[in-house]
Each structure stands twice: as structure tokens, then as C-alpha cells.
Amino acid sequence: MTKDRALWLMVGCLLLAALLRLPALSHTPPGLHYDEAANAILAADIGLRGERPVFITSYTGKEVFFFYAAGVIMRLVGESVFALRLTSAFLGLLTVAATYWLGRALLADRRVAVIAAALLAISFWHLLFSRYGFRAISQPLLQALSVAAMFHGLKQENGWRWFVLAGVFLGLTAYTYLAARLFPAPLGLALLPLLFDSRLAHRRLRQVGLTALVAVVVVAPLLLFFYQNPDTFWVRIQQVAPDNAAGGTTPAVADPGLLSSYLRSLGMFFLVGDPYSRFNLPGRPLFNWFWGGLLLVGWLVALWRWRRWWYDWQKAAVLLLLLAPLTMILPTALAVGEIVPSNLRAIGLIPFIFFLPALGLVTLLEQIADLFRRPDESVSAFLRYLNVLEGYDLNYAFIVLLILLLGGAFSAQSYFEEWATRSDLFYESDADLAAVADYVDEQADPDAALYVAAPHYRHPTVAFLSERYEEIKWLPGSQALALPSAGPALYIFPHNSPAPSWAKPFLEEATRMTGPDGPDGAALFTVYRLAEPALPAGAPSQEVSANFGDVITLLGYEAQPQESGDTLALTLFWRVERAAPAPVRPFVHLEDRWGSRWGQADPTSYPAEQWQVGEVIVQHVRVPLRPGTPPGQYRLRVGLFDEQTGERLLLLEDGQLAGSALTIDPVSLAGGPTPAAPPEAPRGAPQTVRPGLQLLGYERNDEPVDTDAQLPLALWWWASEPQPRMTVRLELMRADNTGIILLDTTPVHGSFPFEQWGAPGAEMPLFVRDEVNPQFLPDLEGGEYRLHLRLLDADGSSIFTSSLGTVSVTPTERQFQRPQAQYPLAATFAAEIQLVGYNLEQLDDRRYRLQLVWHALQEPAGDYTVFVHLLHEDGSCCLWQQDVMPRQGTYPTGRWIAGEYVVDEYEIEAPPEAAAGERLLEVGLYVAESGRRLQVSSPGAAESDVVYLRPLVIEE
């Protein structure tokens, strides 16, 4: 193929590529997906608002090359979806051109180079990403440029400038996409043949070294950033890694195992491709059977050439093509936490993978042409008549044009008529939220409070498209309603976040309208307008008045019956009293009578930064139950905590501390979910106890246990039929095989014995996770013990024994001599505990170290919480506070014995905004569950519930 003919064919390739990539960019693909919208915002920040990041930390981390390119285009054509996608189309077109240059550099064959470029131009895979505003589209371009520049240098006597250019491109590749971090590995392996020729080894080493040095210089700012912020390097890798299977942002599948995942990823070439409709026609392989077969032929031809070719750069080039499909598939094969295979994560295969079918086609055509290069053959004459054979040579121009015309037609039909018109793609692309953004800007009542439900808080699609974005208050997941204190309210529920059934009673008085229909005939969104928002009569059914830190009041709740074995539904009613001073968030804990937690929810359905004084928030919470949760009576603890510090807002009653959570008691549960098959316990192997009963194993840690402390221990039982009366005995066995009975009990502390497991109406099989948590004896000797489980029948006879591992017991260190106290006291709490003094040390102008010296007069009745409060100038709480069990929660009062002393230390820091002067310091004890403070008596002082220490002096 002549140079001129190759040039004209490449013009044709680029024209067809542009014809496929440029039309209707603003509307196809439909909508504006979360990821694209986030990318548009980030690009506009760079191009229009002066941001200059080396790495973008938001949205789980993003490399910046694409965003700088999009920012430039936005400066030229404006901030729009078109500008974002035009960037991808432009980079895609450049990649088609770079593919030809790369083919000439690697194989020195214009035929293979042009055919590879033509295949890329018509590739459905590359076409899709060339029309999406994703940064991944920049990776193939930089890879192609870096390798092409390097191999152009390798073929020249004095090509040092090419190696500098290759280093620049290689360094920039690190700024393209996460999967590009793997690219140096196959490239480095492919370059090894350069060192085999002793005549050129030193020269090649200098050339490759120069490329690597320039690449390191280019990537140095990014490496420095990762060194200073190591978490940003690992965050996305950890999300998709094997240890986090099914935890990513795309619809996940079960962890297939690394080998299976790798084989499935190889199958994406021409067997079964990406199943995710956002990035593929589900299951469509990268190549059809024809081109997939030629890909295999091309790989085998490359392997044959690698064995035959002698020149070092030829061996390196062919080795790179051989390694590319085996190595650049790893980003998708290793991402078992998400979709496998993934067209997106495999994008590093471009453009190298397209040279293999091109090489296979050229080789196959040459072999066929050899058979027909005979003037007397009728087939040969016919081919010459069609101008396919020209002077006994193949007319590759005809073949390339045939590829472009037929392949372009098929790709256009697949993309524009099949893929882009899919209903599931329409909604997965957040087209419903794009319609909401249009409605908000053009039709929404400007005088009404505006509430929008969405799968995510502050959804980027609306953020980028709507001019009224700052007015919107969000209802993430449609799990909350907010009623403003005055004025009308507008609630918009898009197709992907419809109004839930629990919210319908609160919207009965609303005027309802629907938006335009989507491709499946369903409304894209529904709007409810309330002229005077208010709670309906009778809501909430259970009224309370729980004031948390004078910030928000819980007005009441409604606990729905357990709907299924895996959740407990609860509706909470809040009223905002003042703006939240910190990003606080509700919590709901499900606990049993013995303090074990069986479920927890920390809902973000209406974030605190949106709260307005007087607003009533109706919040629907689903508390997930742990599998194996036993049936019985439970309690819910409801409160709020600071997301940054973890500290809870205090529950106030008449201005006094009443704990840190409201207890809702009792809550009846029919039990948690039972898996379809016996689950695997953390420790131990399944053992058959008796017919229909298995001990699946147990869970506990190997940390040493103090004497008189609890041993965290849960037994996992699986029952497939009713059981008789039996007793569980736990024993500690010494080295001499003498035993100590720790506990005789039945499951769930005796509240759910074996004989109830087959009660009428009970479902079988039954999975029970029994938290035994035995208490060790105070006088137990330290050392190593074997923990044994024994089951006794109704007559007390042993019917089953099992080892539960070894336990290391550490004697509790106790102090019975009174420590020195700088300031002696005699403050007695509930006749159980005495504060005998304290030490106070000033560390700097605003920091103090406080040591409280406690004395147990008798065994405390329970675990009490210590509060240390630094008061405001007017005596109100609090400039600084800490509410925690003694020794930062490690030595609760329930473990103290009569006569011992406990030194409890705190570091107090006055906030920067606190004015200089003296501030009172108060100390006391309370019961966490109720907030009830212990009364304190001191000689010569009236009984109170607090002890005041010496004032702290805050200095300027």
C-alpha cells in the first residue's frame, strides 16, 4: 500500500469516525448520568472557575487529563453537556489517527495500520466511550502516542527527541484513568528483548532510561500528591478489589473468584461481553465471530513472527501485541467487586487489540491471494475483474472501504437504534433527573420550598443542569419528608426515586401532577404541591418530646410491625429548633435486654446542613437485622451524633442531662432472617449435635480477657426440626484437665430455649446466633485455658462436647492504695463510688490534663458514664465536654470491686472561639440508658448531681 493511498484511506477512516461520533452528542446517549454530570462539574471547575488540581479527590478520586482537556473546550464553546462529550469525541478521533501512526511504528506495515484504524473507527466499544463524558477515553490515546514515539526512536540512529516525547506521553498516561497504572508492566516486559542484543544493549538501555526518566519527571507531581495523600491512591482500588466483592458503585455480582473472573474477562473478546447496559448491549462481545476468529489468527501470527524476527525493536513490538490482551484485561478481571467483565475497565486494550485481527486479516488474505495468482484460473480472473486483485496484488483500498461501509452501518445501527433507545439505559442515565432539572427551571413555583428526591444527595445531574440548584433541598432515597414552618412546598419524585407508600398519607392533601412520559410510557417524575404543609391528624401515633442539645426535638415515632425477617421499619418525627452546629446525623440501634446490638441504621435521608428552624422532618428508617437474630423483646435507642467527632448530642430534660439517646421499649421481633443454606461461621466447622441440630461454629476474637470481664462469644446454631430440652454448659479447662464451670444456660440467656424452636407456627430451618458472652470470675487465675462447650439433656447427662479454642486470661490490675491527689475531695455518688480528689495540669494556654481519682466504696450496681463539662461563662453547657466510661471506656464501673482506686484521665481543650477568663468545670456520673444522674453528697454541701472543680483559666 502506497503512502498516498494510506493517507486517503485514513481520511476516510476519520470522516466515518466523525460521522459516528459527532451527531446528536447533547442527546445521545440519553440523559446525563451521575458520573458524567460529576465530570462536567469538575471540568467546568478547571476550565471556568480556576481550579488546578493534580488529582481530583472527590467522587472516589479521578485523574485529571480529561478534565483539563474538557475545561479548554468549555472555555471555547461554553459549559454544556455538548462540550463535555465533544471532548470525548475529539479524543476518540485522535486515537483513530494515532492508531495508524502506532501501527506504522510497531509493524512497519501500512495495510495492518490502516485496517486497525478502520476497525477502531467502526468499533461499537470505542464509539460508545467516544460519546460519553468519561475520562477513560483519554487512556488509549496517550498509550498509543507513548508507544509510537518510542518505537519511532528505536528505529532511528539518532532519535533521542522521540524518547523524550515518549516519556512525556507515558508520564501523561498516569493522569488518564485508574487502569493506566497497569500499562507500564506490559510495556516494560515487551521492551526486554531490547537488552538481548549485546551490540545494542547499552544504547537501548540509555534510550529506555531516558524515556523512563522523562516519564517520572512528568508524573512526579502526581506521585508527590499520592505520597502526601496515600488514601487517595488506594480508595478506588479497595472498592473494586476481590476483598470488597459486591461493594462497588455499579450493579455487582457475586465474587466469581480470580481465576474464573480472568477467564470470563478473556471471553469478552468474542464470546460473552459486558452485561451492564450503560457500557454495552448486554453480553455483546468486543468482536463478532468473524473478527474474533481473525484476532486469534493474528495473535498466533504475532507469536510466529516473534520467534522468527531478529531485530530487537520488532521482537519488542510483537511481544507488546502478544502481552496486551493477557495483561490489560487485568483491571476488569481483578475488579471482582463490580461487573465482570467490564468494557470500561478493559479500555486499556485499545488500540493494541485492534492490530491482531488486522494482522490476521492481512495474513489470511495474502494466503488466499497466493492461491489465485494464476492467470488461467477463472476465480482469479473474476477477482481481477472486480478489481480486488490488482496486478496480482490485493487491492487493500477496496477491503478497507468495505470494512468502513459495512462495519460503520452495523455499528451505527447497533448504537443509535438498539443501544441508545433502550428503556433501561434511559433511566440508568438519569434522564428522569434531567427532566426534573428542566421542570425546576421552567415550571416550578418560585415561591414554594423545593424538595427533590433522588438516589443520591446533591445529585450532580441536577447540579449541572439546573440554574435553581442552590434552592433545592434533597430527599436522598425518598426516605424522608420535610415540612417547612411556613409557606407552600413542592415535592418532586423522579422515576428512579418514587414517592414511597409510607409517605402517601402525608401527601394526601397535595395537588398532584406528573411529568412527561419516558420511553416505556411511565411518567418521568411526579410533583406534589402542599399549600400549607402540616402533619395529618393522629401523627405521630406515639408522642414524645425528646430534646437533643437544643438543636432538634423528637416529637414522636411509629414502629411498624416487622415486615420481613431482615428489617424493622420505624418512622421518626423531628422538629428543628436551631441550625445544627455540626454535621449531625441520627442513629437507631436495636439492642436486646443484655446490651448486645442486633441492628443499626445511621440514616442520611435528610442531611443536617439542610435543616431550617421550625421545619418538621418525617424520617422513615429501616433497621437491618443481623441473620440469626433471635425472636423476643428488644429496645430501640434513638439519638444523634456528630459525623466528624462521633460524639453524641445530649438528651436534655428540663435543661438537665438525661442521657445521649431515647429508649423505645419494648419492641417485639419474630426473629431475623434465616439464610437459604447454613452459613459459614467465623470459627469452627459444622458439627451435628443430634438429629436436626447443628453447631455451625462460633465467633470470638483472640484478645486476652481480663478476669471479671466478659468473654465475647456467640454460638451459631442451625435447627431443621424441633428440639428437646437441653442445657448449654461452658467450661474453662486448665492444663491439668481440671475444669471450671463458667455458665449453665439455654440459648439467648434462657429466653429462647431449645424446646421452643419447634413451637407451632415456627419456620424450619431456623438459624440462631446466640450471644452467650459469659462473665469471668473475679478470682480466676491468669493463664491459658481451653474453652469447652457441653450440651446436657433434660437428665443432666452430657450428649455433646466441642472445643471452642483457647482463652488467654489476664489478671486485672487493681490499685488499693490511695493515689496522691493535688486537690482532695470527698464526693460520694449513690453510696457506691467516691471522688476522693483530682489532679489538674495546664499544658498550654487552652489545654489542661485532668486526672480524676475514684474510690469504689462497694461493688457498683452497673456501668456508669462519667461526664466532664467545661461550662460557658454564664454557667451553661458546654464549651467542651466528654461523656465516656472510665479510662476512655476500657474499665467500666461494673468491673470495680470494693476498696479499689481508679485513676481516670482526660485532656481538656477550650475551643478557639472561647474568650479569655475563668470557666467552671463540672464532673458527675449517670446511667447511659436513662440519663439519670447519680446523686452526690459532700461534707458541708447540699446534695446535688454534680461536682464543681476549680475553674480553668483560659488565656488569650
Side-chain angles (χ1 to χ4, degrees), residues 586-598:
F587 67 84
V588 180
H589 295 168
L590 178 71
E591 300 174 350
D592 61 22
R593 287 176 281 164
W594 302 275
S596 295
R597 188 178 301 172
W598 293 91

Side-chain angles (χ1 to χ4, degrees), residues 388-405:
V388 175
L389 284 175
E390 186 178 52
Y392 300 105
D393 289 322
L394 284 168
N395 187 343
Y396 280 94
F398 176 85
I399 295 170
V400 172
L401 291 175
L402 193 63
I403 291 172
L404 291 175
L405 292 176

Side-chain angles (χ1 to χ4, degrees), residues 93-107:
L93 290 173
L94 287 179
T95 306
V96 173
T99 298
Y100 173 75
W101 186 41
L102 175 62
R104 293 284 294 128
L106 288 177
L107 301 172

Side-chain angles (χ1 to χ4, degrees), residues 456-468:
H456 305 283
Y457 179 54
R458 294 186 176 275
H459 203 288
T461 298
V462 181
F464 185 73
L465 296 177
S466 175
E467 295 180 359
R468 294 183 61 188

